[in-house]
């Protein structure tokens, strides 16, 4: 078995950012850009006596999904919790700009081939958001990434891939929400404010951050899938995420637009309906919402394996 | 002649105390309400009493412990607490408030620092730090409790108790207290019409109360496989090849920690490959470790007797009656005293971690400013000198233990394997091998008679680090033992004193073995060897019977 | 509050070339490190640079690196390590794994 084939069988959750990036695209097609040997380390961390990493915690590169160039951004949670600083943020922005220039070149030179060969962006999130050690630069990076995602709208699908241990929190939670498509595994999470901060601000009675089961059924993949906050739930393997990415790359751009959860009049209407529903149910636990959506036995769904869950779970607004 | 001699003073005193308590009981029952619990304790506890609050490293009579702290120190004081462990804040609060004065215990866990402080401030007089069995023994000798505050899952109106999966210390405490005329009060999670099984007869219990919340229980033996590192796995591979297989270890105890969890999780993979199934790890004195599930499911294990329960494992254990000790009602019963006895007399190997090992091989978990206590490890981490039965593992180790013959002449004797499995450095580069144990400093600070040593050097047979295995019992004399310890001590200051030619000689003599000497392929030491890589996979192995506590769930 | 930078030089008896231009391995997690080993004309010598927040372990780093160099006999290579409290066993492991990365 080749190294790439071995990667396919690996747990996405257990893999490093680089393994995820290499495994998400076709065998042998990955080229890392601004990789570790370029040594773009954070200029801020050494001042604070904090350990540095040669890639500043973000792997960027390009590969192929069939005929589609796939621009990959992959965050590494084990380095300072995947927090986004100046260099890592700039690498994210640069990768998104590359996607745009590839698209524009294709559009200009070979417009007939756009559907078949347009690029796709895969962002594998593993982060709590801004790196506090370099907060201003990190925040700025968040804004620039959002900007770039808007520039790619209707042109290049931007896909959030969330299957990591830390998941996607803080400012990057907003960024994920702004992408076209979200793919998750049940072992990963998306949220804005992290569980510990909610507990600190609202009290343990409101949210017990040490209760991981509670944290996961509030922010985890299964909940996001039922609530329509993520489009696809896949098993925890690199191959499963890759298969989903291939399927998304093949979709026409208007179908991609339909997968968006925010950012259009119809999406806003759906959100308002959800707000009204939540007000009516006044849930004290995610399970209350699952029930209101038509899932008779939420606990059983929580414990169900992937196949059973997919067969049984009823969703709020199944996206196209 | 003078007046009639009185032989039942304690019983009479108990009757007198209970007469003050009787008003709170529901008529015709032993049941009282939580709101009256403080009044009941006030009625039955007198200054200077020896009092036991049931609490070990798992279940805790936490409600009654809180109630004890609400007594008026002007009326009830100078209590002598005799109890397995003091892991709750309220255990120490009783001393702060001046209700309790003296402590005899075995394990402090998270309150180790508070114990040290209370000793230093003069609010706590320390009797002694014991092992569990040692303390239990004294309950029947010179430390019999006058009043015991215990806990159970269920009670009926007559005081019959169901302690089930978490029976732990309850029978022993109750027997020591009640049969010497004392008073036993139980907090239970639920008052029921009929208990599921009578673990403690109602006659031995004086009062029961349904606590406002279920008793606190700590999932102390749950290790998330997601946190097992490549180093743990390398050491686990060495352990299987160099110790388990070498000696054919069938009956054993695993100390708490990620190292032993790693061993459990590579039995169905690496162990299977080495052809060891049925040859090792068949009988355990062990808490129901979730990480043992894959090995149990793969048919490695014949029996497990448990000291206590482990949160989330009750249903799994109940569904495996061929393996665990299950009552006629279908639920498991643990018993710390029995399992400790099994761990002392009937295992051939104890393997566990520590915090510090000195240059002679003595080990301790005590650090300056923390009186952690011993728990059960020393009784398993030693050769039981009363042992008279033989097994191949015990005999092989005894035959290799040449220094033993200095006292025995030509009479053969076996030896329990006592293995310290410890990385040379812990987190933040704290060295595990030291010139002098911190226990010495602690002894001075806390005015202990002797430094608290968990396992003495003369009991240790093997030290296993990432550098290799030192077969200490094969050494002749202390000098050679110290050289073998230096050889496994890696880059710590002790290890840096190793002389290359000395280490080479030890390797030739089979006293020190590196992974290469053992034929362990380092490149295979990674997480792909684990039969389960996450708590979720343990649940899958168990067929959904293992129900992990919320804090271990990531789904 | 700055990072410590340690530099070491080794002269292997029978210098062996790295079969690829460069190899990278590891993640700078807590208690972990990353390494880049790359070809560089150093007249047969090898140099190693360690960047770490930890102080007081210069001698241990030297010994761990020396043992690795003795084993692999790489010459004309520059080794760059970013460390975050890795223990000696983890350092040895990552260095070996970096070389395995080339073979695999």
């Amino acid at each position: 078995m080749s190294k790439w084939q071995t990667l396919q069988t690996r747990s996405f959750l257990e893999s490093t950012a680089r393994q995820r990036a290499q495994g998400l695209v076709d065998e042998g097609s990955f080229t890392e850009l601004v990789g570790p040997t370029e040594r773009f380390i954070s200029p801020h961390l050494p001042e604070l006596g904090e350990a540095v990493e040669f890639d500043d915690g973000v792997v960027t590169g390009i590969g192929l999904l069939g005929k589609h160039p796939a621009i990959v951004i992959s965050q590494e949670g084990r380095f300072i919790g995947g927090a986004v600083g100046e260099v890592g943020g700039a690498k994210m922005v640069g990768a998104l700009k590359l996607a745009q220039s590839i698209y524009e070149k294709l559009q200009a030179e070979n417009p007939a081939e756009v559907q078949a060969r347009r690029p796709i962006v895969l962002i594998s999130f593993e982060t709590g958001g801004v790196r506090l050690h370099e907060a201003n630069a990190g925040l700025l990076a968040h804004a620039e990434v959002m900007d770039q995602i808007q520039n790619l709208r209707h042109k290049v699908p931007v896909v959030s891939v969330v299957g990591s241990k830390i998941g996607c929190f803080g400012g990057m939670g907003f960024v994920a929400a702004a992408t076209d498509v979200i793919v998750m595994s049940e072992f990963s999470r998306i949220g804005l404010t992290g569980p510990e901060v909610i507990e600190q601000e609202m009290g343990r009675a409101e949210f017990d951050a040490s209760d991981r089961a509670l944290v996961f059924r509030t922010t985890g993949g299964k909940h996001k899938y039922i609530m329509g906050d993520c489009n696809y739930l896949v098993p925890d393997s690199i191959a499963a995420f890759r298969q989903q990415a291939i399927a998304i790359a093949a979709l026409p751009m208007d179908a991609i637009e339909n997968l968006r959860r925010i950012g259009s009049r119809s999406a806003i209407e759906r959100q308002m309906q959800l707000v009204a529903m939540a007000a009516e149910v006044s849930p004290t636990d995610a399970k209350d919402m699952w029930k209101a959506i038509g899932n008779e036995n939420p606990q059983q769904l929580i414990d169900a394996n992937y196949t059973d869950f997919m067969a049984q779970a009823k969703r709020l607004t199944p996206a196209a | 002649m003078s007046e009639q001699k009185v032989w039942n003073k304690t019983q009479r005193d108990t009757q007198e105390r209970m007469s003050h308590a009787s008003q709170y009981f529901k008529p015709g029952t032993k049941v009282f309400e939580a709101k009256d619990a403080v009044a009941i304790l006030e009625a039955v506890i007198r200054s200077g009493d020896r009092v036991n609050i049931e609490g070990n490293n798992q279940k805790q009579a936490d409600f009654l412990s809180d109630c004890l702290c609400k007594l008026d120190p002007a009326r009830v004081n100078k209590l002598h607490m005799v109890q397995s462990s003091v892991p709750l804040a309220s255990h120490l609060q009783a001393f702060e408030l001046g209700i309790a004065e003296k402590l005899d215990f075995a394990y402090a866990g998270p309150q180790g620092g508070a114990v040290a402080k209370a000793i230093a401030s003069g609010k706590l007089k320390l009797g002694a730090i014991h092992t569990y069995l040692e303390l239990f023994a004294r309950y029947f000798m010179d430390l019999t409790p006058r009043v015991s505050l215990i806990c159970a899952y269920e009670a009926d109106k007559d005081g019959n108790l169901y302690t089930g999966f978490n029976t732990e210390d309850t029978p022993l405490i109750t027997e020591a207290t009640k049969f010497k005329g004392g008073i036993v009060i139980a907090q239970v999670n639920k008052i029921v019409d009929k208990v599921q099984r009578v673990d403690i007869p109602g006659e031995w219990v004086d009062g029961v109360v349904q606590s406002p919340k279920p008793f606190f229980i700590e999932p102390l033996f749950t290790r998330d496989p997601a946190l097992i590192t490549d180093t743990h796995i390398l050491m686990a591979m060495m352990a299987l090849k160099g110790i388990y297989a070498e000696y054919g270890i069938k009956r054993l105890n695993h100390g708490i920690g990620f190292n032993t969890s790693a061993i459990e999780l590579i039995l169905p993979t690496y162990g299977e490959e080495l052809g060891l199934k049925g040859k090792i790890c068949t009988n355990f004195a062990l808490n129901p470790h979730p990480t043992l599930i894959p090995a149990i499911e793969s048919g490695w294990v014949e029996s497990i007797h448990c000291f206590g329960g482990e949160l989330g494992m009750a249903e799994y254990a109940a569904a495996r009656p061929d393996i665990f000790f299950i009552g006629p009602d279908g639920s498991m019963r643990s018993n710390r005293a029995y399992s400790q006895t099994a761990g002392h007399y009937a295992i051939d190997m104890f393997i566990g971690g520590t915090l510090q090992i000195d240059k002679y091989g003595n080990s301790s978990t005590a650090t300056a400013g923390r009186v952690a206590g011993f728990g059960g490890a020393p009784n398993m981490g030693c050769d039981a000198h009363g042992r008279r039965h033989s097994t191949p593992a015990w005999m092989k180790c005894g035959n290799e233990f040449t220094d033993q013959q200095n006292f025995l002449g030509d009479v053969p004797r076996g030896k329990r394997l006592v293995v310290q499995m410890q990385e040379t450095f812990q987190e933040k580069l704290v060295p595990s091998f030291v010139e002098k144990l911190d226990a010495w400093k602690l002894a001075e600070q806390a005015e202990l008679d002797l430094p608290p040593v968990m396992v003495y050097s003369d009991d240790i047979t093997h030290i296993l680090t990432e550098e290799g295995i030192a077969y200490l019992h094969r050494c002749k004399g202390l000098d050679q033992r110290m050289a073998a310890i230096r050889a496994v001590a890696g880059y710590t200051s002790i290890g840096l004193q190793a002389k290359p030619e000395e280490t080479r000689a030890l390797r030739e003599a089979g006293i020190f073995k590196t992974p290469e000497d053992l034929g362990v392929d380092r490149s295979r030491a990674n997480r792909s060897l684990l039969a389960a890589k996450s708590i979720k996979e343990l649940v899958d192995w168990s067929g959904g019977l293992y129900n992990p506590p919320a804090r271990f769930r990531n789904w | 509050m700055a990072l410590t930078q340690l530099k070491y030089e080794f002269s292997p008896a029978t210098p062996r070339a790295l079969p690829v231009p460069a190899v990278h391995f590891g993640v700078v997690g807590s208690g972990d490190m990353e390494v880049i080993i790359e070809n560089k004309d150093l007249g047969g010598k090898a140099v190693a640079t360690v960047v770490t927040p930890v102080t007081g372990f210069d001698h241990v780093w030297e010994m761990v690196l020396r043992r690795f160099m003795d084993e692999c006999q790489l010459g004309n290579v520059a080794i760059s390590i970013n460390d975050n409290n890795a223990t000696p066993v983890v350092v040895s492991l990552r260095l070996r794994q970096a070389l395995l990365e080339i073979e695999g």
Side-chain angles (χ1 to χ4, degrees), chain C residues 2 9 11 13-15 26 28-29 33 35-36 50 52 67 71 73 76 87 99 101:
Chain C
E9 196 179 283
S11 306
T14 50
V28 190
M33 56 156 263
V35 60
I36 295 173
V50 179
T52 173
R67 200 202 259 195
E71 274 173 25
Q73 289 290 318
N76 288 321
T87 57
L99 291 188
E101 191 76 354

Side-chain angles (χ1 to χ4, degrees), chain B residues 25 39 60 69 81 111 114 142 191 220 231 235 245 259 334 339 496 522:
Chain B
F25 291 114
Q60 302 295 335
C69 291
M81 307 308 294
Q111 297 293 325
D142 58 335
I191 303 280
L220 200 65
T231 310
M235 289 167 65
N259 279 319
S334 58
S339 218
L496 293 177
R522 286 174 196 266

